[in-house]
Amino acid sequence: MAKTIFEQTGGTYTMQGDYRLPDLTLPPEEERPIGVWGQRRRRYLQQHRKILYYNLLTSDKLRSHLADVEDEAQELFFRLVKEYAKKEGVTEQLKAKNQMEWVCRMNNIRERVNEVVNAEMIFT
């Protein structure tokens, strides 16, 4: 019996009853953590962008997409928190002088930045 193109390129088959099924495996994917931002993105895609979600899922690109969103969103979040704090004068001197004021202002900054990241990275 002549070899198929699959066999000529190094592929093998396994017999399952009367059928020859190709031995296919997916390439190993690197383990990158998916945190809060990636989970929010996944939930948004599942609820509001179902076609994109299923396209990413079936092409085995969902996990890498979510990990990329996680990395970018985290980087944007920390950068914006630093920028807002510097712009509004929330410094270590304020923290040493009046801790409660510092905490209130930093929490306010973090919540505003959270909304910006959600709008720019997660819900798009």
Side-chain angles (χ1 to χ4, degrees):
M1 184 167 159
K3 286 189 172 187
T4 64
I5 295 174
F6 180 67
E7 290 174 316
Q8 291 171 3
T9 58
T12 58
Y13 291 97
T14 302
M15 289 298 289
Q16 295 288 326
D18 293 337
Y19 300 101
R20 294 176 49 193
L21 301 176
D23 297 323
L24 302 175
T25 58
L26 294 173
E29 189 174 330
E30 67 179 88
E31 282 295 318
R32 291 171 50 197
I34 297 173
V36 172
W37 301 109
Q39 291 173 13
R40 286 180 186 169
R41 176 72 174 165
R42 178 188 307 144
R43 191 174 328 114
Y44 171 75
L45 291 175
Q46 283 177 327
Q47 293 174 357
H48 302 285
R49 305 280 307 274
K50 293 180 185 203
I51 294 173
L52 176 60
Y53 174 77
Y54 285 114
N55 285 342
L56 289 169
L57 184 65
T58 56
S59 66
D60 199 34
K61 294 180 182 176
L62 179 63
R63 185 161 181 80
S64 64
H65 171 74
L66 296 176
D68 290 343
V69 167
E70 174 71 26
D71 293 342
E72 292 174 25
Q74 233 175 28
E75 183 180 312
L76 178 63
F77 180 81
F78 289 128
R79 183 174 53 82
L80 288 177
V81 166
K82 285 180 185 177
E83 287 178 13
Y84 282 31
K86 184 177 180 180
K87 187 177 184 182
E88 296 176 19
V90 181
T91 62
E92 291 297 317
Q93 288 83 14
L94 176 63
K95 185 177 179 181
K97 189 169 74 172
N98 188 348
Q99 290 180 354
M100 289 307 293
E101 176 69 20
W102 182 86
V103 169
C104 288
R105 291 174 72 179
M106 283 304 289
N107 283 343
N108 184 288
I109 288 170
R110 290 174 61 89
E111 288 303 315
R112 287 185 288 150
V113 169
N114 197 1
E115 292 297 320
V116 170
V117 173
N118 279 335
E120 290 185 11
M121 301 285 306
I122 307 303
F123 305 136
T124 57

